[in-house]
Amino acid sequence: MSFRPPKGTDDIGAPASTRWRDVLRQWDTWADRFGYPLVMTPIFESTDLFERGVGEDTEVVTKQMYTFTDRGGRSLTLRPEGTAGVVRAFLDSGARGPWKGAYSGPMFRHERPQAGRRRQFWQLGVEYLDVDGPAADAEVIELGYRFLSAVDVPGLEVVINSLGDTVCRPGYVSTLRSYLEAKRDVLCDDSVSIIDVNPLRVLDCTVCAPVLTDAPAMKDHLCQPCAAHYGLVKKSLENLRIPFREDARLVRGLDYYTRTAFEYIATQLDAAQNAVGGGGRYDGLAESIGGRRAPGVGFALGVDRIVLASGEDVGPQVDVYLVSETGPEDALIAASVLRLAGLRVDFDSEGRKVEAQFKTAGRLGARAVVVQKGQGDEVDVRIDEEREQMALEAVPAWLGTRL
Ligand code: HAM
């Protein structure tokens, strides 16, 4: 067969998918714990929604969207991110907030593929809408931090900044633009080309970073309400004992952000794609897509990067592998008993030799092996160095204290 997945996309199967499933499961638990019900929006939306929501000058909109015309002549785009669609759905529903939604699904960006940068990738995210207060920002940041800690992302760092609002940002942007104009000669071509359209993004350029150490910082130009908001977000994070680092150069790649912006960094990953997640407040997004004022805050985490950061060790695919000396029909019944008791169990349905069955148990990383020796109820249970004979029905309780 000569077909391969399209460039920048992947087929994901075991063993890597074992880790994926674990991450997605834990996400459901944590989103639920913080009071975020599931929200599902279409994978494609009107192209306009992203142009107006994400921002016409952003790289995502100018270079990365998968846009097509459908048979009815409409311009549609595969969602490059989840926020614009969720805010649209919220406005469309007529709901009044505070309103929470959590999502999980594939997003699409035509990027140059590399490890952790894919053309189809999976985001987990939340949006909290119709909320103005800094406690909402802190709660959102906390959820991402607790979840990423629970799924063991190594070297996790929370980085935050404030991007101001429509009152204080324009003044800062023109100060920054003048500063960058004066540095034109030492900036890279890409940076020079965006000084006019989006000078904030120059701060994000890793090539130019060494010559921008004395750049003016947004946090020194915040208006009083933005400064107070930012101060309270930081205070709450301290109260929650969430370690964070401030970075005046954190600007984010999408245009809708106001005030709080943050990223979760996995310091072990390559710098170019070590953000396992990012988010912030977007008080003007709802209006920019034609709705009423609905301030909000949220984040999205990249599952591809979370899985990449956590390395090769995916853990066992099953709790028990059932090895049968008497054949697959007996094994099927015994496996069913253990499964109904809540254990993750697999067995060989093909009647292969006992040695081959043990090999499979090893390959799946089974924590315990249950050996069915005769037609009776007695089985041999092996876990680490321990070995016991018992009735099949007794196995779940016995393993329960050991797995
Ligand atoms: P973003 O920073 O563009 O924000 O993406 C969030 C995360 O998605 C990134 O930190 C990264 O982990 C993952 N990601 C992005 N692009 C790729 C890619 N090409 N391949 C693999 N992973 C990727 C947003 O999308 C905002 N909607 C977040 C948000 C929600 N802000 C407020 N609410």
Side-chain angles (χ1 to χ4, degrees):
M1 190 188 71
S2 57
F3 292 115
R4 304 225 45 234
K7 188 171 176 191
T9 68
D10 303 290
D11 301 317
I12 300 164
S17 58
T18 305
R19 176 71 175 144
W20 273 74
R21 189 184 258 171
D22 174 47
V23 169
L24 298 184
R25 271 205 192 119
Q26 294 206 51
W27 169 249
D28 285 341
T29 306
W30 281 95
D32 206 18
R33 209 179 272 188
F34 276 65
Y36 287 82
L38 182 65
V39 56
M40 292 189 274
T41 63
I43 280 181
F44 54 86
E45 298 265 6
S46 292
T47 302
D48 269 8
L49 175 73
F50 300 116
E51 286 172 351
R52 290 163 61 179
V54 172
E56 252 155 346
D57 296 325
T58 58
E59 281 210 343
V60 168
V61 169
T62 55
K63 299 188 185 152
Q64 299 175 350
M65 295 209 301
Y66 281 93
T67 297
F68 61 98
T69 307
D70 78 356
R71 286 165 197 271
R74 300 169 198 90
S75 178
L76 299 171
T77 294
L78 297 184
R79 60 182 185 194
E81 59 103 53
T83 311
V86 171
V87 173
R88 179 203 53 67
F90 168 69
L91 293 169
D92 208 34
S93 74
R96 296 271 151 180
W99 179 97
K100 287 178 166 181
Y103 52 93
S104 166
M107 308 287 160
F108 306 85
R109 295 184 194 175
H110 193 276
E111 301 210 59
R112 183 127 48 91
Q114 49 188 293
R117 196 174 293 278
R118 317 302 296 151
R119 292 184 171 173
Q120 174 173 328
F121 57 98
W122 195 285
Q123 281 189 346
L124 305 171
V126 293
E127 309 301 342
Y128 192 7
L129 286 157
D130 265 350
V131 287
D132 273 306
D137 307 37
E139 188 213 57
V140 163
I141 295 172
E142 183 192 6
L143 167 56
Y145 176 75
R146 301 287 182 224
F147 166 72
L148 290 170
S149 305
V151 297
D152 292 328
V153 169
L156 180 63
E157 232 184 23
V158 180
V159 185
I160 66 166
N161 192 17
S162 175
L163 300 177
D165 64 6
T166 49
V167 175
C168 52
R169 189 155 55 192
Y172 167 69
V173 168
S174 61
T175 308
L176 178 65
R177 195 177 278 126
S178 315
Y179 165 88
L180 295 173
E181 285 294 351
K183 295 238 168 194
R184 243 185 141 79
D185 296 347
V186 291
L187 298 178
C188 74
D189 290 348
D190 284 346
S191 289
V192 170
S193 72
I194 56 170
I195 293 180
D196 275 340
V197 277
N198 200 347
L200 280 177
R201 290 294 288 168
V202 178
L203 295 179
D204 216 16
C205 173
T206 43
V207 180
C208 298
V211 296
L212 297 176
T213 45
D214 60 344
M218 182 71 236
K219 73 175 163 57
D220 302 324
H221 293 75
L222 295 175
C223 57
Q224 196 279 328
C226 282
H229 186 99
Y230 189 42
L232 284 169
V233 172
K234 287 189 284 182
K235 185 89 195 81
S236 290
L237 294 179
E238 280 160 15
N239 291 342
L240 293 165
R241 301 199 197 298
I242 295 174
F244 64 88
R245 176 166 67 79
E246 282 185 83
D247 184 351
R249 322 219 347 192
L250 175 73
V251 291
R252 312 276 302 126
L254 316 170
D255 269 359
Y256 47 62
Y257 292 108
T258 51
R259 295 193 165 172
T260 316
F262 57 92
E263 279 181 352
Y264 302 101
I265 305 292
T267 48
Q268 256 101 328
L269 291 180
D270 276 357
Q273 57 279 325
N274 67 359
V276 286
R281 179 167 272 287
Y282 44 83
D283 293 344
L285 173 57
E287 284 158 299
S288 71
I289 61 171
R292 63 178 174 84
R293 180 175 187 274
V297 56
F299 65 67
L301 313 173
V303 180
D304 304 72
R305 291 187 191 178
I306 292 173
V307 170
L308 200 64
S310 52
E312 303 287 301
D313 185 13
V314 295
Q317 279 177 60
V318 292
D319 298 319
V320 173
Y321 195 82
L322 199 109
V323 169
S324 181
E325 294 180 1
T326 64
E329 276 68 32
D330 292 336
L332 172 67
I333 295 166
S336 177
V337 169
L338 300 179
R339 286 167 174 162
L340 287 172
L343 292 164
R344 301 181 302 156
V345 184
D346 207 358
F347 73 98
D348 170 50
S349 63
E350 300 301 302
R352 289 178 312 153
K353 291 208 175 81
V354 168
E355 300 82 73
Q357 297 183 45
F358 270 106
K359 252 197 195 147
T360 308
R363 183 172 54 76
L364 297 179
R367 293 292 321 281
V369 176
V370 171
V371 186
Q372 197 177 31
K373 287 178 171 294
Q375 244 107 58
D377 204 21
E378 283 288 294
V379 291
D380 206 26
V381 190
R382 304 171 189 190
I383 178 167
D384 301 325
E385 300 299 294
E386 272 188 277
R387 213 170 148 155
E388 284 281 332
Q389 277 221 325
M390 66 186 77
L392 182 68
E393 283 69 23
V395 172
W398 190 80
L399 283 181
T401 53
R402 288 167 174 82
L403 286 178

